[in-house]
Amino acid sequence: MENKFPGKDITDEDLKTKFPLASSSNKKKIINIKDEVTFGSDNIPIIAGPNTVENKDMMFKCCEILEKKKIKLLRAGLYKPLTFPYRSDKYYELGDKGIKIIEEIKKNFDVLIVSEIMESEKISIMMDFVDIFQIGARNMQNYPLITKVAKTKKPILLKRHFGASIRDLIGAAEYALVEKNEKVILCERGITTPHTHKATSRFLLDIQAIPAIKDNSCLPIISDPSHACFWHEWVRPLALASIAAGAEGLMIETHPNPREAAVDPLQAISLKEFSDLVDKLREIAKVINKKIV
Ligand code: PEP
Ligand code: MN
């Protein structure tokens, strides 16, 4: 069979037959979130908020800046996959207790909630407040979890595992599509390379994955520079580069007091830095005829 993409690890035919629903042989999907935000259109949504929900006050501060900048999607993780099981005394996982805070947010702000799910047992408790279920890098190939979450028909944000190929990511998305849930948004969040860790950063943002995924899948692809680079100083340039490279959304970690964040305090940017970044992103988006929302 002719390989129409010499040098790539997949052929056109390969994708069409293995992933008939997620491959680029389908019409590009525009994913509508409650008629408020769309992914894959001329709009570029930003998802912003802290690594984890810590308390009401810091969440309200994040929501205030989102409202001011006319950004709709709030990062609001209650259940966190932590790389190490030993937790610093600063860290407390709110888990189910955080739901009250999210309810208060929903009463006071016009935001949509993006929250990570790690186990299917949490589906019923999260269903009431989640607008997009995030399936994190570590669960990218947890097919039973993807299948169960997909059956809820809620939109899914599927993050690429840091060791996964693009084919693996598209293949994982197919598990949701086969359940007749077409609302799947893919997310590049950095990969492991021999050059990462300590010397430079935790992961390396695979900018090339953005055009590659657009070339090979009908699903929108967004970028999470915060988790990729791990250093707050690098988030801005990588966010700008992602949009210039064609990313169809961004996930940005923001915190009212970043260096005091309970989880990953080095990667969050301040609310002021976030506000400035949104202004700059809007300029870049304009150049490519897109709109940051
Ligand atoms: C996160 O977004 O909170 C997260 C844990 O990201 P990732 O799954 O990409 O590591
Ligand atoms: Mn994180």
Side-chain angles (χ1 to χ4, degrees), residues 80-84 116 118 134-142 158-169 172 187-197 201-207 209 213 224-230 264 267:
K80 290 300 305 167
L82 296 174
T83 306
F84 303 104
E116 178 159 357
M118 294 208 296
Q134 176 174 325
I135 296 185
R138 290 154 189 83
N139 271 313
M140 187 201 89
Q141 284 178 313
N142 185 341
L158 182 64
K159 297 184 92 177
R160 179 187 183 188
H161 185 270
F162 31 88
S165 69
I166 285 164
R167 178 170 60 171
D168 289 344
L169 174 62
C187 179
E188 161 57 31
R189 47 75 73 215
I191 53 171
T192 306
T193 83
H195 311 292
T196 53
H197 295 278
S201 69
R202 204 167 163 202
F203 301 104
L204 180 77
L205 185 67
D206 183 5
I207 289 274
I213 288 167
D224 173 353
S226 311
H227 279 84
C229 70
F230 197 60
D264 292 345
Q267 74 192 23

Side-chain angles (χ1 to χ4, degrees), residues 126-138:
M126 292 178 76
M127 270 306 275
D128 290 341
F129 69 85
V130 156
D131 296 301
I132 301 181
F133 273 117
Q134 176 174 325
I135 296 185
R138 290 154 189 83

Side-chain angles (χ1 to χ4, degrees), residues 246-259:
E248 295 165 299
L250 284 174
M251 174 173 262
I252 306 276
E253 226 159 271
T254 56
H255 194 286
N257 192 1
R259 259 24 94 217

Side-chain angles (χ1 to χ4, degrees), residues 114-129:
V114 183
S115 196
E116 178 159 357
I117 181 154
M118 294 208 296
E119 46 188 347
S120 55
E121 288 75 12
K122 293 288 177 206
I123 289 178
S124 57
I125 198 164
M126 292 178 76
M127 270 306 275
D128 290 341
F129 69 85

Side-chain angles (χ1 to χ4, degrees), residues 6-32:
K8 289 191 183 175
D9 68 341
I10 39 179
T11 64
D12 195 14
E13 253 354 273
D14 225 10
L15 273 174
K16 274 189 205 152
T17 53
K18 288 200 170 70
F19 313 128
L21 305 172
S23 80
S24 54
S25 54
N26 299 283
K27 193 163 167 263
K28 205 173 152 28
K29 300 256 183 291
I30 294 178
I31 297 178
N32 182 324

